[in-house]
Amino acid sequence: GMTMGTSARPRPGSMLQAPGKDLTFLAAPPGHLRFREDVGSDAAPVPLHMHLRQTERFTVIEGRLALTCDGQTRELGPGDCLQVPPGRMHSYAPAG
């Protein structure tokens, strides 16, 4: 995961890329990290992980996403939003 220190703040518009994924950082208030992640249908699932202090919010813009939290998988579609609180094991992958 990405640890946000006081100086390690990605510039809005900067990108990270991986096979099947493009992540674009967006402007966010201090203490927050906001990004758009375009996940292709061929993208590998994100390994099971947790964030100690962060809440992670998923909002699906288009397509479908399978989000697993605490061993339960939910399929999210356009307009669906789900928050994963700190300390909860979770993973996500393209659905369908």
Side-chain angles (χ1 to χ4, degrees):
M2 181 172 288
T3 302
M4 296 303 298
T6 53
S7 61
R9 195 162 167 81
R11 283 189 331 275
S14 61
M15 291 184 72
L16 295 175
Q17 294 181 306
K21 296 180 185 179
D22 290 328
L23 190 145
T24 306
F25 291 98
L26 306 173
H32 290 76
L33 179 63
R34 189 169 289 154
F35 56 86
R36 175 188 169 116
E37 186 173 14
D38 293 296
V39 180
S41 59
D42 59 339
V46 171
L48 201 58
H49 66 284
M50 78 164 133
H51 308 284
L52 295 176
R53 292 180 293 279
Q54 298 163 304
T55 295
E56 188 168 11
R57 185 175 69 198
F58 294 83
T59 303
V60 176
I61 306 301
E62 61 184 56
R64 301 198 73 72
L65 187 74
L67 178 63
T68 301
C69 183
D70 292 337
Q72 297 210 302
T73 301
R74 288 188 49 191
E75 191 169 310
L76 305 178
D80 289 339
C81 182
L82 192 66
Q83 289 196 160
V84 177
R88 306 284 284 278
M89 294 299 290
H90 62 284
S91 172
Y92 60 94

